[in-house]
Amino acid sequence: MSEDKEKEPNNEISEISPETPETDKEILNETTEQETVSQQEEKLNASQEKELKSSEVIEEETIPLDEAVENEESKTIAKENKETSEPDVIKEIDDNNAEDAEDKDTEKRHQIPVLDYHSMSMENLVGELQKLVKNEKVQAIKKHVDGIREEFNLKYQEFIDQKKEDFVANGGNEIDFRYNSVTKRQFNEVYNDYRDKRNQHYKSLEKSHKENLAFRLELIEEVKSLVNVEEDINTTYKNFKDIQEKWRNAGPIPRANYNDVWKTYQHHIEIFYDFLHINRELRDLDFKHNLEEKLKIVKQAEALAVETDLNRAFRELQVLHKLWKEDIGPVGKDHREEIWERFSAATKTIHERRQNYFKELDQLNEQNLEAKNGIIAEILALSESVSDKHSTLQQQIKKLEELREAFFKAGKVPQKDNEKTWSSFKDAVRAFNRGKNAFYKNLKKEQQKNLDSKRALLETANSLKESEDWDVATAEMKRIQSEWKKIGHVPRKYSDKLWKDFKAACNHYFDRLHATKNDGFKKEQENLKLKEDCMARLKAFQLSGKKEDDLKIIKGFVSEWKTYGHVPYKQKSINQKFNRVIDALFNKLGISAQESDLLKYGNKIQGLKNGDNQERAIQNERSFIRKKINESKGEIIQLETNLQFFSNASENNPIVQDVIKKVESQKEALASWTAKLKKLNVLEHNLNKEIEEESASSSEEE
């Protein structure tokens, strides 16, 4: 049983693929043209046709080939056949038998399964084509190759259209588009190999087909001559049987001549049997034998009516029709109509079952159409909501691929809807791809902007990696590292190298910084030990009761503490512990917190005096103290202003008391900062005086 192949648009791009190979139909036409019979054969056929028209017997019993299989059927049977669909199936059987008769290997096409090529990928289609061309006879796989080629071209066209859209979307000019597909190249190689083998095969058959045709025409002439020969009837009958045997063993002829040659041969066989009326015994023996053989065929055909495999049933029916037509002669007139009616009825039963099967296929195709339209609707919905986020869009692309795969696996649709369905599918996919391409085009611009920003940060990192201005460079390095994290993705081809270079520059700088800090860390550890020793001695100190002596000793501890440098960051709390111990001792001596602060500040003043850059240190300290003085004044003004809102409130009010307390605290702080500024000014005055005295002394010596 043959299935209708779902046909879809087949357009190839000539600019990227070889010319489409010749179709098999063209190959066959060329072959059959070469096999046209000679002028002598045409004259012979014309003569036979003339004899056919002049024969009263055949005129009564012969009907056209497309209305019946047997020439011996009556006009009544022909009329009944015309009123039914039976001639269609008979013609289909005759055409298939004519094709099979042309080459015995062609029959093998019925045994090779036709797969669902529509659901296969391009790569799988190439693989299936390679397997067929390698393992099967080329004349037996025409239907399979045509189906594969049609589906491959369909999918390749969709594939290349998408590649072209992507190319244009990325800024390319359509006229410059080129695409080299390995799969397409492999397909063309295998298909061209198939085409060459098929051409070579039919070319090799051309000579033998001509010879076989000429031989069969000679056999027809021999049958014609039997009715005119004057010899013993038994000898004539024996010669007739010899001719029949030769006919059976004669090789294949072109399918274009098959039915006409057979009809002519059958016509003269009938004439010969009419000639045998003079020896009815021989003729009746033949009729009896033929009837027995045809009854066997009828029974086999009737058995096929219940065969579950309709493909097998129809193939077997074709074989039976071929035997009926080619191998078995006519039967007596008394049985002709009856035996043909039985065979015809069995054929019609199988035909009706096939028609019902095709109707079921049509219903299935309608269901497939509904499923495919649903898939197209999903793709359209996807195309109307293309995401503006890369991760989500990737999920949508994956979903689209699933829908595409489902579309191809959904099966065939009615032929009338096929082109429209395919066009709608391609338009829906193209709509999604346009949205996808637009997103990635904008993303490309954004990534280029990010690339420029990161390149600028890399340039900054390279300019700082050898810096020794640690405070400034470290802060800037941390800033650009933070900035780098905020910048989005860059084109993948630059991403890895850019990050590697930026990381190397940062690591180089911080490795140098850490190496420097490691040297200072040892010193900090030493300072920590000295301060811990000083702290231990301070805690062990006991007041003697003599305030001046005790104060002097305490100041000594403070002075000693100031001589030690920084300690590790995690141990900085030791400074606060020291100050709390000092404050406790000052408190025991009856010294206020403000006075205590000034005493400790005196040690700082001494440190400024002994520093390397006295002028700059004093200037920075003065700026700091003035800032604190201004802050205290501002706080006092603000707090006193707030008190005015509580003019009617009792002084026992907790809020009022809290504000008053803060005012007093800020006034104490202001007095402390003012006293510190005076000490700083005294220090600066003394330093200036010392400088002047040294200058005057130098002048006198000169």
Side-chain angles (χ1 to χ4, degrees):
M1 179 178 62
S2 61
E3 298 180 359
D4 293 335
K5 175 69 182 154
E6 184 178 2
K7 190 173 183 180
E8 296 175 328
N10 179 15
N11 300 316
E12 296 217 23
I13 299 178
S14 60
E15 66 188 39
I16 58 175
S17 62
E19 292 186 0
T20 305
E22 299 175 6
T23 63
D24 292 319
K25 182 177 180 181
E26 293 171 340
I27 297 171
L28 181 59
N29 288 340
E30 292 175 0
T31 304
T32 54
E33 287 176 4
Q34 295 169 348
E35 295 170 345
T36 304
V37 296
S38 63
Q39 293 295 326
Q40 181 180 358
E41 293 166 349
E42 293 177 356
K43 291 179 181 179
L44 178 60
N45 288 338
S47 173
Q48 293 165 352
E49 184 179 356
K50 183 176 180 181
E51 291 176 6
L52 179 63
K53 291 180 179 178
S54 65
S55 173
E56 183 178 352
V57 175
I58 302 302
E59 183 179 353
E60 293 176 352
E61 297 181 354
T62 303
I63 61 175
L65 181 62
D66 63 346
E67 297 175 356
V69 173
E70 294 296 322
N71 287 327
E72 67 261 40
E73 304 306 315
S74 66
K75 289 184 179 181
T76 302
I77 299 300
K79 182 178 180 181
E80 292 176 358
N81 287 342
K82 287 180 181 178
E83 294 173 354
T84 67
S85 62
E86 185 178 319
D88 293 334
V89 66
I90 299 298
K91 185 176 186 306
E92 182 181 352
I93 291 173
D94 286 346
D95 290 343
N96 282 332
N97 282 335
E99 184 177 357
D100 291 344
E102 187 175 46
D103 187 340
K104 63 180 180 179
D105 287 327
T106 305
E107 294 183 19
K108 294 181 180 179
R109 74 187 192 279
H110 304 299
Q111 303 168 11
I112 305 172
V114 178
L115 305 181
D116 185 7
Y117 302 130
H118 186 63
S119 64
M120 290 185 178
S121 65
M122 289 192 296
E123 292 75 15
N124 289 340
L125 288 171
V126 173
E128 182 63 21
L129 180 62
Q130 287 174 328
K131 185 172 71 174
L132 288 172
V133 174
K134 180 180 179 181
N135 300 327
E136 306 293 347
K137 299 287 185 180
V138 290
Q139 61 271 34
I141 58 175
K142 179 181 183 300
K143 178 180 179 181
H144 307 74
V145 173
D146 286 350
I148 290 173
R149 180 171 177 267
E150 186 174 347
E151 290 297 341
F152 182 89
N153 287 337
L154 172 87
K155 290 180 171 63
Y156 183 74
Q157 186 64 49
E158 184 209 4
F159 171 79
I160 208 66
D161 285 348
Q162 182 54 47
K163 289 296 181 183
K164 183 183 289 187
E165 280 194 17
D166 293 344
F167 176 76
V168 174
N170 288 327
N173 193 331
E174 184 173 350
I175 198 173
D176 298 325
F177 175 71
R178 297 290 185 276
Y179 190 85
N180 181 20
S181 170
V182 175
T183 306
K184 175 64 174 173
R185 187 168 64 250
Q186 290 175 339
F187 177 84
N188 288 341
E189 289 173 356
V190 181
Y191 183 82
N192 290 338
D193 182 38
Y194 159 77
R195 184 186 61 182
D196 294 342
K197 287 181 178 179
R198 186 173 173 84
N199 286 341
Q200 185 178 1
H201 170 74
Y202 282 109
K203 187 174 182 180
S204 66
L205 288 181
E206 179 183 351
K207 182 179 179 181
S208 63
H209 280 178
K210 281 187 175 182
E211 292 174 351
N212 294 339
L213 177 60
F215 180 62
R216 286 184 182 272
L217 292 175
E218 290 175 4
L219 292 177
I220 291 173
E221 289 299 315
E222 290 182 21
V223 173
K224 287 171 60 178
S225 67
L226 290 177
V227 298
N228 299 320
V229 70
E230 295 182 1
E231 61 182 2
D232 179 68
I233 192 65
N234 290 326
T235 302
T236 301
Y237 186 73
K238 182 178 181 301
N239 291 335
F240 170 71
K241 288 296 182 182
D242 290 341
I243 293 172
Q244 282 189 313
E245 186 64 23
K246 290 178 182 178
W247 182 271
R248 292 188 188 98
N249 295 327
I253 63 174
R255 75 178 73 174
N257 304 103
Y258 174 79
N259 286 318
D260 288 338
V261 171
W262 176 84
K263 185 165 61 175
T264 303
Y265 171 72
Q266 199 68 18
H267 163 66
H268 289 292
I269 291 294
E270 291 289 342
I271 292 176
F272 177 77
Y273 274 109
D274 287 340
F275 168 73
L276 282 182
H277 71 278
I278 58 177
N279 192 331
R280 187 175 298 275
E281 182 180 349
L282 287 175
R283 188 180 68 171
D284 288 348
L285 282 174
D286 242 13
F287 280 167
K288 181 182 178 182
H289 172 73
N290 293 341
L291 178 61
E292 291 173 352
E293 295 301 313
K294 287 194 173 182
L295 281 172
K296 292 179 183 177
I297 289 178
V298 169
K299 289 180 180 178
Q300 293 180 55
E302 290 172 342
L304 290 175
V306 294
E307 169 64 49
T308 55
D309 187 343
L310 283 175
N311 282 329
R312 180 178 178 278
F314 192 69
R315 289 198 300 270
E316 292 293 332
L317 185 64
Q318 287 179 204
V319 174
L320 295 178
H321 271 269
K322 184 176 182 180
L323 292 173
W324 183 289
K325 184 175 183 178
E326 296 185 9
D327 293 354
I328 305 175
V331 300
K333 289 185 179 181
D334 294 342
H335 301 287
R336 286 180 187 176
E337 183 173 345
E338 178 187 357
I339 194 70
W340 173 249
E341 283 288 352
R342 284 185 62 184
F343 190 41
S344 238
T347 299
K348 185 176 181 181
T349 299
I350 297 173
H351 175 65
E352 288 175 349
R353 288 184 63 202
R354 289 180 76 228
Q355 292 301 104
N356 291 335
Y357 172 74
F358 288 137
K359 287 180 181 178
E360 292 176 1
L361 281 184
D362 289 341
Q363 292 176 357
L364 179 60
N365 290 345
E366 288 290 344
Q367 294 175 7
N368 295 342
L369 175 62
E370 185 176 349
K372 285 194 170 184
N373 284 336
I375 292 172
I376 292 171
E378 286 191 64
I379 297 175
L380 284 173
L382 204 61
S383 68
E384 292 171 358
S385 59
V386 177
S387 176
D388 59 354
K389 295 182 178 179
H390 172 71
S391 58
T392 308
L393 183 54
Q394 286 298 309
Q395 294 175 359
Q396 290 182 330
I397 292 172
K398 183 179 180 181
K399 177 65 176 178
L400 177 66
E401 288 304 313
E402 292 173 355
L403 291 173
R404 288 184 74 260
E405 186 176 352
F407 180 86
F408 286 115
K409 288 183 177 180
K412 300 175 183 178
V413 302
Q415 188 66 30
K416 61 183 177 64
D417 300 301
N418 186 62
E419 185 173 349
K420 179 182 177 182
T421 305
W422 177 246
S423 178
S424 299
F425 169 73
K426 288 199 300 182
D427 290 344
V429 172
R430 193 169 291 123
F432 175 83
N433 287 331
R434 278 196 291 267
K436 177 195 72 175
N437 290 336
F439 168 79
Y440 281 113
K441 186 175 183 179
N442 292 332
L443 183 63
K444 185 177 180 181
K445 292 180 181 178
E446 182 180 341
Q447 288 185 344
Q448 183 60 45
K449 182 180 178 182
N450 294 340
L451 176 62
D452 295 339
S453 298
K454 286 194 172 182
R455 280 175 170 168
L457 294 180
L458 173 60
E459 185 177 351
T460 302
N462 283 328
S463 68
L464 292 174
K465 68 180 182 179
E466 299 294 345
S467 174
E468 294 187 358
D469 189 353
W470 304 111
D471 292 338
V472 175
T474 301
E476 182 64 6
M477 274 294 194
K478 290 181 178 180
R479 185 192 69 78
I480 64 174
Q481 284 181 329
S482 176
E483 189 69 23
W484 183 281
K485 294 177 182 178
K486 296 176 183 177
I487 300 174
H489 295 287
V490 300
R492 182 170 305 217
K493 62 181 179 179
Y494 301 111
S495 178
D496 291 343
K497 185 177 186 307
L498 198 63
W499 166 243
K500 183 179 178 181
D501 292 346
F502 181 74
K503 183 179 178 182
C506 292
N507 287 345
H508 178 78
Y509 172 80
F510 283 107
D511 286 345
R512 291 176 58 243
L513 176 63
H514 292 153
T516 302
K517 284 190 173 183
N518 287 338
D519 293 338
F521 184 71
K522 294 179 181 179
K523 181 63 178 175
E524 289 176 351
Q525 288 287 345
E526 293 175 1
N527 294 337
L528 177 62
K529 290 181 180 180
L530 293 172
K531 285 191 174 184
E532 287 175 342
D533 178 66
C534 181
M535 174 73 79
R537 287 186 282 110
L538 178 63
K539 287 181 178 180
F541 171 70
Q542 297 293 327
L543 294 175
S544 64
K546 297 178 181 180
K547 182 176 181 180
E548 292 299 329
D549 293 340
D550 291 336
L551 185 59
K552 184 177 180 181
I553 294 173
I554 293 172
K555 287 183 178 181
F557 276 110
V558 173
S559 298
E560 178 187 350
W561 189 270
K562 293 293 183 179
T563 61
Y564 305 137
H566 294 291
V567 298
Y569 181 80
K570 292 182 179 180
Q571 281 77 35
K572 278 188 175 182
S573 60
I574 195 172
N575 293 321
Q576 296 174 352
K577 293 177 182 178
F578 177 81
N579 287 330
R580 284 198 294 269
V581 175
I582 293 296
D583 289 340
L585 291 173
F586 281 151
N587 187 47
K588 289 180 179 180
L589 291 175
I591 298 174
S592 66
Q594 181 180 355
E595 188 178 358
S596 172
D597 189 40
L598 288 174
L599 287 172
K600 289 186 287 186
Y601 188 71
N603 291 314
K604 184 175 183 179
I605 289 292
Q606 193 64 32
L608 293 176
K609 180 180 178 181
N610 297 330
D612 295 333
N613 194 344
Q614 297 174 346
E615 184 177 355
R616 182 175 179 181
I618 293 173
Q619 183 179 356
N620 289 339
E621 183 67 14
R622 178 182 287 106
S623 297
F624 175 75
I625 292 174
R626 283 177 174 170
K627 179 181 177 183
K628 289 297 183 179
I629 290 173
N630 291 333
E631 288 177 357
S632 294
K633 288 181 178 179
E635 284 293 326
I636 292 170
I637 293 171
Q638 181 64 47
L639 290 169
E640 289 178 343
T641 301
N642 293 341
L643 277 176
Q644 294 177 6
F645 292 102
F646 299 96
S647 58
N648 298 326
S650 171
E651 291 185 358
N652 296 326
N653 187 310
I655 297 177
V656 174
Q657 289 180 350
D658 182 62
V659 174
I660 293 173
K661 184 177 180 180
K662 288 181 179 179
V663 171
E664 294 300 325
S665 176
Q666 287 297 329
K667 286 181 177 180
E668 290 178 1
L670 177 60
S672 177
W673 288 117
T674 303
K676 289 179 180 179
L677 182 59
K678 288 180 179 179
K679 281 183 173 289
L680 186 64
N681 290 335
V682 170
L683 171 65
E684 185 178 19
H685 175 75
N686 292 335
L687 287 175
N688 291 335
K689 187 176 181 181
E690 289 177 3
I691 293 172
E692 290 176 359
E693 290 177 353
E694 288 178 0
S695 177
S697 175
S698 298
S699 298
E700 290 177 359
E701 290 177 358
E702 291 177 359

